[in-house]
Amino acid sequence: VQHYWVDAGDEGSADDLEHRRFRLGMDIGFTSKVKLSFDLNMDRDGVGPLVDNFDYVSLEWKLDDATTLQFGKLRRHPLTREDGTSSNNILTIERSLVAARYLMDNLGGVYVEHERGDWTFGGGAMSGSFEDDDGLALPTLDGGLVLQGNVAYQATPETELRLDYVFNDGDPDNNGLRAYRH
């Protein structure tokens, strides 16, 4: 939540209270290996319906101790270290312009991640589009294919080396990410 108040003398004044986001979420463990998770973006202005949209909704299946499969409107897997760091832990008010320029929305698809020692490998196939007619921003198959790959090596407890890559097939219906191909 943030509030501003400006008094410009003869030019007038303004003030407002803004709710940046309000989320309600839940993790439901059906077994020790299967979990349903979701976050709902709740109405911020009191004008619309109670729920604005799904931030994400995913079904996660732990295939074994090292491998996880996810399906649904997935939480975005990081494309940079800055992107992968929680906003609670960054030292600035907002992410950098570079990170904000290239980030994509949470997309619908499938993603698999495998850990082996100090290495983590991940890859996914997603649809680049989502439908917002009903206000829930759920993924559709109208857009093209988006492929993502991530490789990370934990060199020391404080040092991680990463290679993150996204391929966008350029479909004009890919409204969930920027128009960059790579």
Side-chain angles (χ1 to χ4, degrees), residues 54-55 73-77 79 83 99-109 126-132 137-148 166-181:
F54 277 96
D55 184 49
K73 182 178 182 184
L74 305 175
R75 282 188 179 168
R76 184 180 67 242
H77 291 276
L79 295 178
D83 184 26
R101 177 90 173 128
Y102 294 100
L103 296 181
M104 59 187 185
D105 289 331
N106 294 339
L107 300 177
M126 294 155 280
S127 170
S129 67
F130 58 89
E131 178 103 13
D132 206 20
L138 293 173
T140 70
L141 297 177
D142 294 339
L145 181 66
V146 176
L147 300 174
Q148 181 172 356
V166 170
F167 171 76
N168 173 6
D169 73 356
D171 190 308
D173 289 331
N174 283 352
N175 60 352
L177 65 165
R178 309 282 190 216
Y180 303 108
R181 296 292 293 251

Side-chain angles (χ1 to χ4, degrees), residues 30-112:
F30 295 106
T31 70
S32 62
K33 298 193 179 277
V34 178
K35 177 174 72 171
L36 174 69
S37 301
F38 64 88
D39 268 2
L40 301 170
N41 287 318
M42 307 304 287
D43 178 45
R44 295 176 299 159
D45 56 16
V47 177
L50 182 61
V51 175
D52 277 344
N53 59 45
F54 277 96
D55 184 49
Y56 78 93
V57 57
S58 72
L59 186 63
E60 182 179 296
W61 179 20
K62 199 148 183 63
L63 301 174
D64 57 41
D65 288 341
T67 308
T68 304
L69 178 69
Q70 295 175 313
F71 175 79
K73 182 178 182 184
L74 305 175
R75 282 188 179 168
R76 184 180 67 242
H77 291 276
L79 295 178
T80 64
R81 185 77 235 140
E82 181 180 8
D83 184 26
T85 302
S86 167
S87 60
N88 295 327
N89 297 327
I90 60 175
L91 300 177
T92 58
I93 296 171
E94 294 287 340
R95 298 189 193 282
S96 72
L97 182 59
V98 171
R101 177 90 173 128
Y102 294 100
L103 296 181
M104 59 187 185
D105 289 331
N106 294 339
L107 300 177
V110 61
Y111 189 88
V112 65

